[in-house]
PDB file of all heavy atoms in Angstrom:
ATOM      1  N   HIS X 158      94.672 109.612 -64.015  1.00 95.00           N
ATOM      2  CA  HIS X 158      93.273 109.773 -63.605  1.00 95.00           C
ATOM      3  C   HIS X 158      93.150 109.847 -62.085  1.00 95.00           C
ATOM      4  O   HIS X 158      92.446 109.059 -61.468  1.00 95.00           O
ATOM      5  CB  HIS X 158      92.422 108.626 -64.168  1.00 95.00           C
ATOM      6  CG  HIS X 158      92.402 108.582 -65.657  1.00 95.00           C
ATOM      7  ND1 HIS X 158      91.793 109.552 -66.427  1.00 95.00           N
ATOM      8  CD2 HIS X 158      92.959 107.696 -66.523  1.00 95.00           C
ATOM      9  CE1 HIS X 158      91.953 109.247 -67.707  1.00 95.00           C
ATOM     10  NE2 HIS X 158      92.663 108.137 -67.785  1.00 95.00           N
ATOM     11  N   ASN X 159      93.844 110.836 -61.494  1.00 93.00           N
ATOM     12  CA  ASN X 159      93.771 111.031 -60.046  1.00 93.00           C
ATOM     13  C   ASN X 159      93.043 112.334 -59.762  1.00 93.00           C
ATOM     14  O   ASN X 159      92.656 113.067 -60.678  1.00 93.00           O
ATOM     15  CB  ASN X 159      95.171 111.011 -59.421  1.00 93.00           C
ATOM     16  CG  ASN X 159      96.068 112.080 -60.031  1.00 93.00           C
ATOM     17  OD1 ASN X 159      95.751 113.261 -60.048  1.00 93.00           O
ATOM     18  ND2 ASN X 159      97.220 111.648 -60.546  1.00 93.00           N
ATOM     19  N   ALA X 160      92.846 112.632 -58.499  1.00 92.00           N
ATOM     20  CA  ALA X 160      92.053 113.815 -58.106  1.00 92.00           C
ATOM     21  C   ALA X 160      92.688 115.118 -58.576  1.00 92.00           C
ATOM     22  O   ALA X 160      91.979 116.076 -58.891  1.00 92.00           O
ATOM     23  CB  ALA X 160      91.868 113.822 -56.599  1.00 92.00           C
ATOM     24  N   GLN X 161      94.010 115.173 -58.672  1.00 93.00           N
ATOM     25  CA  GLN X 161      94.679 116.391 -59.099  1.00 93.00           C
ATOM     26  C   GLN X 161      94.755 116.511 -60.623  1.00 93.00           C
ATOM     27  O   GLN X 161      94.606 117.588 -61.175  1.00 93.00           O
ATOM     28  CB  GLN X 161      96.117 116.453 -58.535  1.00 93.00           C
ATOM     29  CG  GLN X 161      96.185 116.618 -57.031  1.00 93.00           C
ATOM     30  CD  GLN X 161      95.849 115.335 -56.271  1.00 93.00           C
ATOM     31  OE1 GLN X 161      96.197 114.240 -56.697  1.00 93.00           O
ATOM     32  NE2 GLN X 161      95.155 115.471 -55.161  1.00 93.00           N
ATOM     33  N   ASN X 162      95.006 115.408 -61.299  1.00 90.00           N
ATOM     34  CA  ASN X 162      95.251 115.409 -62.743  1.00 90.00           C
ATOM     35  C   ASN X 162      93.966 115.335 -63.563  1.00 90.00           C
ATOM     36  O   ASN X 162      93.763 116.128 -64.468  1.00 90.00           O
ATOM     37  CB  ASN X 162      96.191 114.244 -63.087  1.00 90.00           C
ATOM     38  CG  ASN X 162      97.151 114.577 -64.203  1.00 90.00           C
ATOM     39  OD1 ASN X 162      97.113 115.643 -64.783  1.00 90.00           O
ATOM     40  ND2 ASN X 162      98.021 113.632 -64.490  1.00 90.00           N
ATOM     41  N   ARG X 163      93.134 114.347 -63.269  1.00 91.00           N
ATOM     42  CA  ARG X 163      91.817 114.163 -63.904  1.00 91.00           C
ATOM     43  C   ARG X 163      91.838 114.267 -65.433  1.00 91.00           C
ATOM     44  O   ARG X 163      91.066 115.016 -66.021  1.00 91.00           O
ATOM     45  CB  ARG X 163      90.819 115.176 -63.330  1.00 91.00           C
ATOM     46  CG  ARG X 163      90.550 114.981 -61.858  1.00 91.00           C
ATOM     47  CD  ARG X 163      89.561 115.987 -61.301  1.00 91.00           C
ATOM     48  NE  ARG X 163      88.286 115.897 -61.976  1.00 91.00           N
ATOM     49  CZ  ARG X 163      87.267 115.135 -61.574  1.00 91.00           C
ATOM     50  NH1 ARG X 163      87.370 114.403 -60.516  1.00 91.00           N
ATOM     51  NH2 ARG X 163      86.138 115.130 -62.244  1.00 91.00           N
ATOM     52  N   LYS X 164      92.725 113.520 -66.088  1.00 91.00           N
ATOM     53  CA  LYS X 164      92.743 113.500 -67.554  1.00 91.00           C
ATOM     54  C   LYS X 164      91.352 113.131 -68.055  1.00 91.00           C
ATOM     55  O   LYS X 164      90.703 112.238 -67.525  1.00 91.00           O
ATOM     56  CB  LYS X 164      93.763 112.479 -68.080  1.00 91.00           C
ATOM     57  CG  LYS X 164      95.204 112.841 -67.801  1.00 91.00           C
ATOM     58  CD  LYS X 164      95.706 113.883 -68.760  1.00 91.00           C
ATOM     59  CE  LYS X 164      97.170 114.099 -68.480  1.00 91.00           C
ATOM     60  NZ  LYS X 164      97.848 115.020 -69.288  1.00 91.00           N
ATOM     61  N   SER X 165      90.893 113.837 -69.082  1.00 91.00           N
ATOM     62  CA  SER X 165      89.548 113.648 -69.642  1.00 91.00           C
ATOM     63  C   SER X 165      88.466 113.779 -68.574  1.00 91.00           C
ATOM     64  O   SER X 165      87.400 113.192 -68.674  1.00 91.00           O
ATOM     65  CB  SER X 165      89.433 112.298 -70.358  1.00 91.00           C
ATOM     66  OG  SER X 165      90.351 112.228 -71.420  1.00 91.00           O
ATOM     67  N   ASP X 166      88.769 114.522 -67.512  1.00 92.00           N
ATOM     68  CA  ASP X 166      87.850 114.745 -66.388  1.00 92.00           C
ATOM     69  C   ASP X 166      87.434 113.450 -65.703  1.00 92.00           C
ATOM     70  O   ASP X 166      86.306 113.307 -65.234  1.00 92.00           O
ATOM     71  CB  ASP X 166      86.621 115.551 -66.845  1.00 92.00           C
ATOM     72  CG  ASP X 166      85.950 116.261 -65.675  1.00 92.00           C
ATOM     73  OD1 ASP X 166      86.665 116.652 -64.728  1.00 92.00           O
ATOM     74  OD2 ASP X 166      84.716 116.403 -65.697  1.00 92.00           O
ATOM     75  N   ILE X 167      88.374 112.485 -65.666  1.00 93.00           N
ATOM     76  CA  ILE X 167      88.099 111.188 -65.039  1.00 93.00           C
ATOM     77  C   ILE X 167      89.014 111.019 -63.823  1.00 93.00           C
ATOM     78  O   ILE X 167      90.226 111.136 -63.946  1.00 93.00           O
ATOM     79  CB  ILE X 167      88.315 110.026 -66.036  1.00 93.00           C
ATOM     80  CG1 ILE X 167      87.331 110.157 -67.204  1.00 93.00           C
ATOM     81  CG2 ILE X 167      88.174 108.682 -65.346  1.00 93.00           C
ATOM     82  CD1 ILE X 167      87.635 109.226 -68.359  1.00 93.00           C
ATOM     83  N   ASP X 168      88.411 110.769 -62.670  1.00 95.00           N
ATOM     84  CA  ASP X 168      89.135 110.524 -61.431  1.00 95.00           C
ATOM     85  C   ASP X 168      88.831 109.102 -60.993  1.00 95.00           C
ATOM     86  O   ASP X 168      87.700 108.801 -60.604  1.00 95.00           O
ATOM     87  CB  ASP X 168      88.695 111.538 -60.365  1.00 95.00           C
ATOM     88  CG  ASP X 168      89.334 111.297 -59.006  1.00 95.00           C
ATOM     89  OD1 ASP X 168      90.175 110.393 -58.874  1.00 95.00           O
ATOM     90  OD2 ASP X 168      88.968 112.026 -58.070  1.00 95.00           O
ATOM     91  N   LEU X 169      89.816 108.220 -61.059  1.00 96.00           N
ATOM     92  CA  LEU X 169      89.607 106.814 -60.707  1.00 96.00           C
ATOM     93  C   LEU X 169      90.156 106.470 -59.320  1.00 96.00           C
ATOM     94  O   LEU X 169      90.433 105.319 -59.034  1.00 96.00           O
ATOM     95  CB  LEU X 169      90.242 105.912 -61.776  1.00 96.00           C
ATOM     96  CG  LEU X 169      89.658 106.068 -63.181  1.00 96.00           C
ATOM     97  CD1 LEU X 169      90.424 105.205 -64.185  1.00 96.00           C
ATOM     98  CD2 LEU X 169      88.178 105.738 -63.221  1.00 96.00           C
ATOM     99  N   THR X 170      90.273 107.487 -58.465  1.00 94.00           N
ATOM    100  CA  THR X 170      90.812 107.248 -57.123  1.00 94.00           C
ATOM    101  C   THR X 170      89.750 106.807 -56.122  1.00 94.00           C
ATOM    102  O   THR X 170      90.092 106.410 -55.020  1.00 94.00           O
ATOM    103  CB  THR X 170      91.499 108.514 -56.562  1.00 94.00           C
ATOM    104  OG1 THR X 170      90.536 109.567 -56.476  1.00 94.00           O
ATOM    105  CG2 THR X 170      92.670 108.937 -57.427  1.00 94.00           C
ATOM    106  N   ASN X 171      88.474 106.885 -56.504  1.00 95.00           N
ATOM    107  CA  ASN X 171      87.433 106.529 -55.542  1.00 95.00           C
ATOM    108  C   ASN X 171      86.256 105.848 -56.260  1.00 95.00           C
ATOM    109  O   ASN X 171      86.183 105.847 -57.479  1.00 95.00           O
ATOM    110  CB  ASN X 171      86.956 107.760 -54.759  1.00 95.00           C
ATOM    111  CG  ASN X 171      86.417 108.839 -55.680  1.00 95.00           C
ATOM    112  OD1 ASN X 171      85.487 108.608 -56.459  1.00 95.00           O
ATOM    113  ND2 ASN X 171      86.984 110.029 -55.609  1.00 95.00           N
ATOM    114  N   TYR X 172      85.370 105.294 -55.439  1.00 97.00           N
ATOM    115  CA  TYR X 172      84.234 104.540 -55.982  1.00 97.00           C
ATOM    116  C   TYR X 172      83.386 105.380 -56.931  1.00 97.00           C
ATOM    117  O   TYR X 172      83.059 104.950 -58.027  1.00 97.00           O
ATOM    118  CB  TYR X 172      83.369 103.978 -54.848  1.00 97.00           C
ATOM    119  CG  TYR X 172      82.123 103.309 -55.354  1.00 97.00           C
ATOM    120  CD1 TYR X 172      82.193 102.021 -55.888  1.00 97.00           C
ATOM    121  CD2 TYR X 172      80.894 103.952 -55.333  1.00 97.00           C
ATOM    122  CE1 TYR X 172      81.066 101.395 -56.378  1.00 97.00           C
ATOM    123  CE2 TYR X 172      79.760 103.335 -55.818  1.00 97.00           C
ATOM    124  CZ  TYR X 172      79.849 102.057 -56.346  1.00 97.00           C
ATOM    125  OH  TYR X 172      78.732 101.449 -56.849  1.00 97.00           O
ATOM    126  N   ASN X 173      83.022 106.599 -56.528  1.00 96.00           N
ATOM    127  CA  ASN X 173      82.158 107.421 -57.377  1.00 96.00           C
ATOM    128  C   ASN X 173      82.792 107.710 -58.725  1.00 96.00           C
ATOM    129  O   ASN X 173      82.106 107.741 -59.749  1.00 96.00           O
ATOM    130  CB  ASN X 173      81.785 108.722 -56.659  1.00 96.00           C
ATOM    131  CG  ASN X 173      80.836 108.484 -55.504  1.00 96.00           C
ATOM    132  OD1 ASN X 173      80.089 107.505 -55.468  1.00 96.00           O
ATOM    133  ND2 ASN X 173      80.869 109.366 -54.526  1.00 96.00           N
ATOM    134  N   GLY X 174      84.088 107.951 -58.742  1.00 95.00           N
ATOM    135  CA  GLY X 174      84.779 108.206 -60.000  1.00 95.00           C
ATOM    136  C   GLY X 174      84.802 106.988 -60.904  1.00 95.00           C
ATOM    137  O   GLY X 174      84.592 107.086 -62.115  1.00 95.00           O
ATOM    138  N   ILE X 175      85.056 105.828 -60.317  1.00 96.00           N
ATOM    139  CA  ILE X 175      85.100 104.591 -61.117  1.00 96.00           C
ATOM    140  C   ILE X 175      83.708 104.257 -61.630  1.00 96.00           C
ATOM    141  O   ILE X 175      83.534 103.950 -62.804  1.00 96.00           O
ATOM    142  CB  ILE X 175      85.689 103.424 -60.296  1.00 96.00           C
ATOM    143  CG1 ILE X 175      87.170 103.697 -59.976  1.00 96.00           C
ATOM    144  CG2 ILE X 175      85.535 102.098 -61.054  1.00 96.00           C
ATOM    145  CD1 ILE X 175      87.794 102.700 -59.031  1.00 96.00           C
ATOM    146  N   VAL X 176      82.705 104.313 -60.766  1.00 96.00           N
ATOM    147  CA  VAL X 176      81.356 103.930 -61.181  1.00 96.00           C
ATOM    148  C   VAL X 176      80.809 104.900 -62.244  1.00 96.00           C
ATOM    149  O   VAL X 176      79.983 104.509 -63.076  1.00 96.00           O
ATOM    150  CB  VAL X 176      80.417 103.755 -59.969  1.00 96.00           C
ATOM    151  CG1 VAL X 176      79.797 105.064 -59.512  1.00 96.00           C
ATOM    152  CG2 VAL X 176      79.337 102.733 -60.263  1.00 96.00           C
ATOM    153  N   ALA X 177      81.315 106.124 -62.283  1.00 96.00           N
ATOM    154  CA  ALA X 177      80.898 107.075 -63.315  1.00 96.00           C
ATOM    155  C   ALA X 177      81.413 106.669 -64.697  1.00 96.00           C
ATOM    156  O   ALA X 177      80.864 107.090 -65.714  1.00 96.00           O
ATOM    157  CB  ALA X 177      81.387 108.479 -62.960  1.00 96.00           C
ATOM    158  N   ALA X 178      82.448 105.825 -64.731  1.00 95.00           N
ATOM    159  CA  ALA X 178      83.041 105.395 -65.996  1.00 95.00           C
ATOM    160  C   ALA X 178      82.548 104.025 -66.443  1.00 95.00           C
ATOM    161  O   ALA X 178      83.043 103.477 -67.438  1.00 95.00           O
ATOM    162  CB  ALA X 178      84.572 105.370 -65.868  1.00 95.00           C
ATOM    163  N   VAL X 179      81.576 103.469 -65.715  1.00 97.00           N
ATOM    164  CA  VAL X 179      81.063 102.143 -66.064  1.00 97.00           C
ATOM    165  C   VAL X 179      79.536 102.163 -66.166  1.00 97.00           C
ATOM    166  O   VAL X 179      78.890 103.087 -65.711  1.00 97.00           O
ATOM    167  CB  VAL X 179      81.502 101.057 -65.044  1.00 97.00           C
ATOM    168  CG1 VAL X 179      83.008 101.031 -64.893  1.00 97.00           C
ATOM    169  CG2 VAL X 179      80.832 101.223 -63.702  1.00 97.00           C
ATOM    170  N   THR X 180      79.009 101.102 -66.767  1.00 96.00           N
ATOM    171  CA  THR X 180      77.573 100.868 -66.815  1.00 96.00           C
ATOM    172  C   THR X 180      77.308  99.655 -65.927  1.00 96.00           C
ATOM    173  O   THR X 180      77.513  98.523 -66.371  1.00 96.00           O
ATOM    174  CB  THR X 180      77.105 100.583 -68.265  1.00 96.00           C
ATOM    175  OG1 THR X 180      77.557 101.633 -69.120  1.00 96.00           O
ATOM    176  CG2 THR X 180      75.595 100.462 -68.328  1.00 96.00           C
ATOM    177  N   PRO X 181      76.914  99.869 -64.653  1.00 97.00           N
ATOM    178  CA  PRO X 181      76.696  98.737 -63.767  1.00 97.00           C
ATOM    179  C   PRO X 181      75.783  97.683 -64.407  1.00 97.00           C
ATOM    180  O   PRO X 181      74.729  98.021 -64.934  1.00 97.00           O
ATOM    181  CB  PRO X 181      76.066  99.361 -62.523  1.00 97.00           C
ATOM    182  CG  PRO X 181      76.621 100.757 -62.513  1.00 97.00           C
ATOM    183  CD  PRO X 181      76.663 101.148 -63.970  1.00 97.00           C
ATOM    184  N   GLY X 182      76.244  96.434 -64.378  1.00 97.00           N
ATOM    185  CA  GLY X 182      75.483  95.343 -64.964  1.00 97.00           C
ATOM    186  C   GLY X 182      75.817  95.081 -66.418  1.00 97.00           C
ATOM    187  O   GLY X 182      75.348  94.095 -66.984  1.00 97.00           O
ATOM    188  N   ASN X 183      76.622  95.943 -67.049  1.00 98.00           N
ATOM    189  CA  ASN X 183      76.924  95.768 -68.473  1.00 98.00           C
ATOM    190  C   ASN X 183      78.339  96.238 -68.795  1.00 98.00           C
ATOM    191  O   ASN X 183      78.544  97.371 -69.215  1.00 98.00           O
ATOM    192  CB  ASN X 183      75.900  96.521 -69.318  1.00 98.00           C
ATOM    193  CG  ASN X 183      75.975  96.130 -70.783  1.00 98.00           C
ATOM    194  OD1 ASN X 183      76.967  95.578 -71.238  1.00 98.00           O
ATOM    195  ND2 ASN X 183      74.931  96.430 -71.519  1.00 98.00           N
ATOM    196  N   ALA X 184      79.306  95.363 -68.598  1.00 97.00           N
ATOM    197  CA  ALA X 184      80.707  95.706 -68.861  1.00 97.00           C
ATOM    198  C   ALA X 184      80.945  96.055 -70.320  1.00 97.00           C
ATOM    199  O   ALA X 184      81.745  96.930 -70.630  1.00 97.00           O
ATOM    200  CB  ALA X 184      81.618  94.561 -68.439  1.00 97.00           C
ATOM    201  N   ALA X 185      80.225  95.385 -71.230  1.00 96.00           N
ATOM    202  CA  ALA X 185      80.467  95.586 -72.670  1.00 96.00           C
ATOM    203  C   ALA X 185      80.215  97.019 -73.115  1.00 96.00           C
ATOM    204  O   ALA X 185      80.846  97.491 -74.060  1.00 96.00           O
ATOM    205  CB  ALA X 185      79.612  94.620 -73.474  1.00 96.00           C
ATOM    206  N   THR X 186      79.312  97.728 -72.440  1.00 96.00           N
ATOM    207  CA  THR X 186      79.032  99.103 -72.836  1.00 96.00           C
ATOM    208  C   THR X 186      79.716 100.126 -71.926  1.00 96.00           C
ATOM    209  O   THR X 186      79.496 101.325 -72.078  1.00 96.00           O
ATOM    210  CB  THR X 186      77.512  99.379 -72.838  1.00 96.00           C
ATOM    211  OG1 THR X 186      77.013  99.212 -71.507  1.00 96.00           O
ATOM    212  CG2 THR X 186      76.781  98.457 -73.791  1.00 96.00           C
ATOM    213  N   SER X 187      80.530  99.652 -70.999  1.00 97.00           N
ATOM    214  CA  SER X 187      81.212 100.546 -70.065  1.00 97.00           C
ATOM    215  C   SER X 187      82.419 101.199 -70.715  1.00 97.00           C
ATOM    216  O   SER X 187      83.272 100.519 -71.275  1.00 97.00           O
ATOM    217  CB  SER X 187      81.651  99.765 -68.826  1.00 97.00           C
ATOM    218  OG  SER X 187      80.520  99.301 -68.112  1.00 97.00           O
ATOM    219  N   ASN X 188      82.492 102.529 -70.619  1.00 95.00           N
ATOM    220  CA  ASN X 188      83.616 103.255 -71.208  1.00 95.00           C
ATOM    221  C   ASN X 188      84.959 102.785 -70.664  1.00 95.00           C
ATOM    222  O   ASN X 188      85.940 102.716 -71.411  1.00 95.00           O
ATOM    223  CB  ASN X 188      83.468 104.759 -70.969  1.00 95.00           C
ATOM    224  CG  ASN X 188      82.345 105.355 -71.799  1.00 95.00           C
ATOM    225  OD1 ASN X 188      82.017 104.862 -72.862  1.00 95.00           O
ATOM    226  ND2 ASN X 188      81.759 106.426 -71.301  1.00 95.00           N
ATOM    227  N   LEU X 189      85.008 102.449 -69.389  1.00 96.00           N
ATOM    228  CA  LEU X 189      86.251 101.985 -68.786  1.00 96.00           C
ATOM    229  C   LEU X 189      86.772 100.742 -69.495  1.00 96.00           C
ATOM    230  O   LEU X 189      87.944 100.678 -69.877  1.00 96.00           O
ATOM    231  CB  LEU X 189      86.022 101.697 -67.297  1.00 96.00           C
ATOM    232  CG  LEU X 189      87.238 101.291 -66.492  1.00 96.00           C
ATOM    233  CD1 LEU X 189      88.196 102.471 -66.338  1.00 96.00           C
ATOM    234  CD2 LEU X 189      86.828 100.788 -65.116  1.00 96.00           C
ATOM    235  N   ILE X 190      85.909  99.763 -69.714  1.00 97.00           N
ATOM    236  CA  ILE X 190      86.314  98.516 -70.374  1.00 97.00           C
ATOM    237  C   ILE X 190      86.610  98.765 -71.847  1.00 97.00           C
ATOM    238  O   ILE X 190      87.594  98.260 -72.389  1.00 97.00           O
ATOM    239  CB  ILE X 190      85.211  97.435 -70.216  1.00 97.00           C
ATOM    240  CG1 ILE X 190      85.046  97.064 -68.733  1.00 97.00           C
ATOM    241  CG2 ILE X 190      85.522  96.203 -71.054  1.00 97.00           C
ATOM    242  CD1 ILE X 190      86.288  96.509 -68.058  1.00 97.00           C
ATOM    243  N   ARG X 191      85.785  99.551 -72.501  1.00 96.00           N
ATOM    244  CA  ARG X 191      86.001  99.819 -73.920  1.00 96.00           C
ATOM    245  C   ARG X 191      87.360 100.475 -74.150  1.00 96.00           C
ATOM    246  O   ARG X 191      88.048 100.165 -75.118  1.00 96.00           O
ATOM    247  CB  ARG X 191      84.853 100.665 -74.469  1.00 96.00           C
ATOM    248  CG  ARG X 191      83.550  99.841 -74.529  1.00 96.00           C
ATOM    249  CD  ARG X 191      82.325 100.657 -74.722  1.00 96.00           C
ATOM    250  NE  ARG X 191      82.361 101.399 -75.983  1.00 96.00           N
ATOM    251  CZ  ARG X 191      81.331 102.050 -76.464  1.00 96.00           C
ATOM    252  NH1 ARG X 191      80.185 102.064 -75.821  1.00 96.00           N
ATOM    253  NH2 ARG X 191      81.413 102.693 -77.599  1.00 96.00           N
ATOM    254  N   SER X 192      87.766 101.361 -73.242  1.00 95.00           N
ATOM    255  CA  SER X 192      89.063 102.025 -73.403  1.00 95.00           C
ATOM    256  C   SER X 192      90.221 101.041 -73.244  1.00 95.00           C
ATOM    257  O   SER X 192      91.275 101.218 -73.845  1.00 95.00           O
ATOM    258  CB  SER X 192      89.206 103.175 -72.401  1.00 95.00           C
ATOM    259  OG  SER X 192      89.341 102.700 -71.083  1.00 95.00           O
ATOM    260  N   MET X 193      90.024  99.984 -72.463  1.00 96.00           N
ATOM    261  CA  MET X 193      91.075  98.978 -72.269  1.00 96.00           C
ATOM    262  C   MET X 193      91.227  98.072 -73.480  1.00 96.00           C
ATOM    263  O   MET X 193      92.276  97.450 -73.670  1.00 96.00           O
ATOM    264  CB  MET X 193      90.766  98.132 -71.036  1.00 96.00           C
ATOM    265  CG  MET X 193      90.835  98.897 -69.746  1.00 96.00           C
ATOM    266  SD  MET X 193      90.311  97.837 -68.390  1.00 96.00           S
ATOM    267  CE  MET X 193      90.207  99.036 -67.065  1.00 96.00           C
ATOM    268  N   HIS X 194      90.182  97.975 -74.296  1.00 93.00           N
ATOM    269  CA  HIS X 194      90.197  97.091 -75.465  1.00 93.00           C
ATOM    270  C   HIS X 194      90.554  97.821 -76.760  1.00 93.00           C
ATOM    271  O   HIS X 194      90.662  97.186 -77.808  1.00 93.00           O
ATOM    272  CB  HIS X 194      88.841  96.394 -75.633  1.00 93.00           C
ATOM    273  CG  HIS X 194      88.597  95.325 -74.606  1.00 93.00           C
ATOM    274  ND1 HIS X 194      89.350  94.189 -74.506  1.00 93.00           N
ATOM    275  CD2 HIS X 194      87.675  95.240 -73.615  1.00 93.00           C
ATOM    276  CE1 HIS X 194      88.908  93.434 -73.516  1.00 93.00           C
ATOM    277  NE2 HIS X 194      87.884  94.054 -72.949  1.00 93.00           N
TER     278      HIS X 194
END
Side-chain angles (χ1 to χ4, degrees):
H158 299 292
N159 58 55
Q161 292 75 37
N162 216 357
R163 296 180 60 92
K164 292 282 184 178
S165 299
D166 202 32
I167 297 169
D168 176 4
L169 298 176
T170 61
N171 59 57
Y172 175 78
N173 289 335
I175 294 173
V176 85
V179 305
T180 307
N183 192 342
T186 62
S187 295
N188 289 332
L189 184 69
I190 296 300
R191 290 166 61 171
S192 70
M193 293 175 189
H194 287 296

